[in-house]
């Protein structure tokens, strides 16, 4: 049992560790310092929490690109509320607005009954315009530095660990989560089993909204200010967490998804910071990221085939010996 645990742990941490060693060998002076390692972990928290918010929707087959716009709008509301109500206004503003937008988005998807991808692109533009209107078109909304401590150490670490525990419990121990996994596995069979698929899909937005609200709280606390984004630029917020989630799902055969999402996001941040340390242009980030994602997904999807191949080879060798 202990040996299996060690092997699973090694497989889980192998990906970011290999990437770290690779970039460390290439540029040890810039990449091997404690400050660089600390930045990698600090920049992993928010995308990981966003990945948690995306997880249930992704599992049931929902492509939601409104996430970035919802996080930004929630952070704007939280910043506005903090002016009048301080820390309580910041927290409640982010959480309540995120949940409200999530319920609205989920309800529109439930009622419209058209592909989520189509709806999400339309709602992105609506939410971006709302954010621009709410913030006064072009101005930045700032938060008093005395109440942004949640975005700095050790409070961001404590909050992230609490979010990890909450997600772990919900994802592994709730009826909703089991139903979402069933719908993602086989929607038609889930309907035959009596699962209300539209309700489950709606609840993916609600539960996801909780984590997106926490992400917006960390985002505004970390940055100290936030401004609106228009012309679909908020969609970029989704890509890194979504790729981290994909890697987390690919790693789910060796670790829990809660850990896998963190490992996937940490691996992506390692690539980004490594490219910067090498002095390569920003455009190389997307190239490396695309290649990295393809390699991880191909290796993950071919594991069963590789195992079956070696199993057949082992059986053939055994048959030759007995013959």
């Amino acid at each position: 049992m202990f040996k299996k645990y060690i092997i699973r742990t090694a497989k889980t941490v192998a990906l970011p560790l290999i990437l770290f060693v690779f970039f460390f060998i290439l540029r040890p002076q810039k990449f091997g310092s404690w400050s660089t390692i600390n930045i990698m972990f600090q920049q992993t928290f928010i995308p990981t929490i966003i990945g948690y918010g995306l997880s249930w929707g992704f599992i049931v087959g929902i492509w939601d690109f409104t996430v970035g716009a919802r996080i930004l709008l929630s952070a704007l509301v939280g910043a506005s509320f903090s002016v009048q109500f301080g820390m309580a206004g910041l927290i409640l503003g982010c959480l309540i607005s995120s949940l409200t937008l999530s319920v609205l988005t989920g309800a529109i998807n439930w009622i419209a009954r058209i592909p989520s991808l189509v709806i999400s692109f339309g709602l992105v533009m609506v939410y971006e315009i709302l954010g621009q209107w709410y913030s006064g078109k072009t101005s930045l909304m700032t938060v008093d530095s005395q109440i942004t401590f949640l975005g700095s150490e050790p409070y961001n670490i404590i909050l992230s660990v609490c979010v990890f525990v909450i997600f772990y419990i919900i994802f592994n121990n709730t009826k909703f989560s089991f139903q979402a996994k069933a719908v993602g596995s086989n929607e038609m069979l889930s309907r035959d089993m009596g699962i209300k698929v539209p309700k489950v899909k709606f609840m993916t937005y609600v539960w996801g909204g909780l984590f997106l609200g926490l992400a917006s709280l960390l985002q505004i606390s970390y940055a100290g200010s936030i401004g609106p984004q228009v012309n679909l630029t908020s969609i970029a917020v989704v890509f890194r967490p979504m790729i981290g989630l994909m890697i987390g799902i690919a790693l789910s055969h060796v670790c829990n998804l809660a850990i896998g999402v963190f490992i996937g996001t940490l691996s992506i941040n390692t690539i980004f910071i490594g490219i910067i340390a090498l002095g390569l242009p920003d455009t190389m980030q997307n190239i490396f990221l695309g290649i990295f994602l393809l390699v991880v997904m191909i290796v993950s999807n071919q594991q069963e085939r590789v195992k079956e191949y070696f199993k057949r080879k082992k059986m053939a060798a055994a048959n030759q010996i007995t013959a």
Side-chain angles (χ1 to χ4, degrees):
M1 179 66 72
F2 182 73
K3 183 179 179 181
K4 289 183 178 179
Y5 177 78
I6 295 297
I7 293 174
R8 289 171 65 91
T9 303
K11 289 181 178 180
T12 301
V13 302
L15 190 60
L17 186 60
I18 291 171
L19 290 169
F20 177 83
V21 172
F22 173 76
F23 286 110
F24 177 76
I25 292 173
L26 294 177
R27 192 59 64 91
Q29 297 84 1
K30 292 185 177 181
F31 198 75
S33 64
W34 166 249
S35 61
T36 302
I37 297 173
N38 186 46
I39 290 172
M40 280 193 298
F41 277 94
Q42 294 293 318
Q43 294 182 350
T44 299
F45 296 141
I46 296 174
T48 298
I49 297 174
I50 297 174
Y52 291 160
L54 286 168
S55 60
W56 289 290
F58 195 84
I59 287 172
V60 302
I62 293 174
W63 291 88
D64 184 15
F65 290 101
T66 67
V67 167
R70 284 193 277 147
I71 290 174
L72 291 172
L73 183 53
S74 299
L76 288 170
V77 174
S80 175
F81 280 25
S82 69
V83 175
Q84 295 181 335
F85 306 106
M87 189 67 191
L90 178 64
I91 296 173
L92 292 177
C94 289
L95 292 178
I96 293 175
S97 57
S98 177
L99 287 170
T100 302
L101 291 170
S102 298
V103 169
L104 176 62
T105 306
I108 293 173
N109 274 270
W110 191 346
I111 295 170
R113 302 293 178 93
I114 59 177
S116 58
L117 186 63
V118 177
I119 294 177
S120 67
F121 276 113
L123 289 177
V124 166
M125 292 184 282
V126 174
Y127 293 153
E128 285 183 345
I129 294 300
L130 285 175
Q132 188 182 50
W133 168 80
Y134 191 83
S135 64
K137 295 186 178 180
T138 58
S139 61
L140 287 174
M141 300 191 72
T142 60
V143 179
D144 192 328
S145 59
Q146 294 182 350
I147 61 173
T148 58
F149 58 88
L150 286 177
S152 58
E153 297 180 87
Y155 304 103
N156 59 343
I157 299 175
I158 296 171
L159 180 59
S160 298
V161 170
C162 291
V163 174
F164 169 84
V165 173
I166 294 170
F167 177 78
Y168 184 91
I169 293 172
I170 296 174
F171 189 81
N172 296 286
N173 299 283
T174 61
K175 178 182 177 182
F176 154 72
S177 190
F178 288 123
Q179 289 182 341
K181 294 171 189 176
V183 172
S185 178
N186 192 319
E187 184 171 324
M188 292 299 296
L189 182 59
S190 299
R191 292 180 188 273
D192 294 339
M193 293 171 59
I195 296 176
K196 298 178 180 178
V197 174
K199 181 180 178 181
V200 172
K201 290 185 176 182
F202 170 76
M203 291 303 297
T204 63
Y205 286 96
V206 178
W207 282 108
L210 170 64
F211 292 93
L212 297 180
L214 292 169
S216 68
L217 173 61
L218 265 181
Q219 179 65 48
I220 186 64
S221 298
Y222 177 77
S225 62
I226 196 162
Q229 294 189 22
V230 293
N231 299 323
L232 303 179
T233 53
S234 63
I235 294 178
V237 177
V238 184
F239 291 140
R240 190 182 300 187
M242 185 174 289
I243 296 173
L245 174 59
M246 289 179 181
I247 297 172
I249 292 174
L251 294 173
S252 59
H253 66 283
V254 295
C255 66
N256 190 272
L257 184 64
I259 299 173
V261 174
F262 176 80
I263 294 297
T265 309
L266 178 61
S267 301
I268 295 170
N269 282 338
T270 304
I271 293 175
F272 282 3
I273 295 176
I275 291 172
I276 294 172
L278 293 176
L280 297 175
D282 293 341
T283 53
M284 293 299 295
Q285 292 182 353
N286 294 330
I287 296 174
F288 274 80
L289 186 59
I291 296 172
F292 173 69
L293 178 61
L294 286 174
V295 170
V296 170
M297 299 306 293
I298 290 171
V299 171
S300 174
N301 291 332
Q302 297 299 320
Q303 279 193 354
E304 292 300 323
R305 185 176 297 179
V306 172
K307 288 180 180 178
E308 186 65 26
Y309 171 78
F310 281 108
K311 184 178 179 181
R312 289 198 303 267
K313 294 283 287 185
K314 186 177 181 181
M315 291 176 63
N319 291 335
Q320 289 180 357
I321 293 173
T322 56

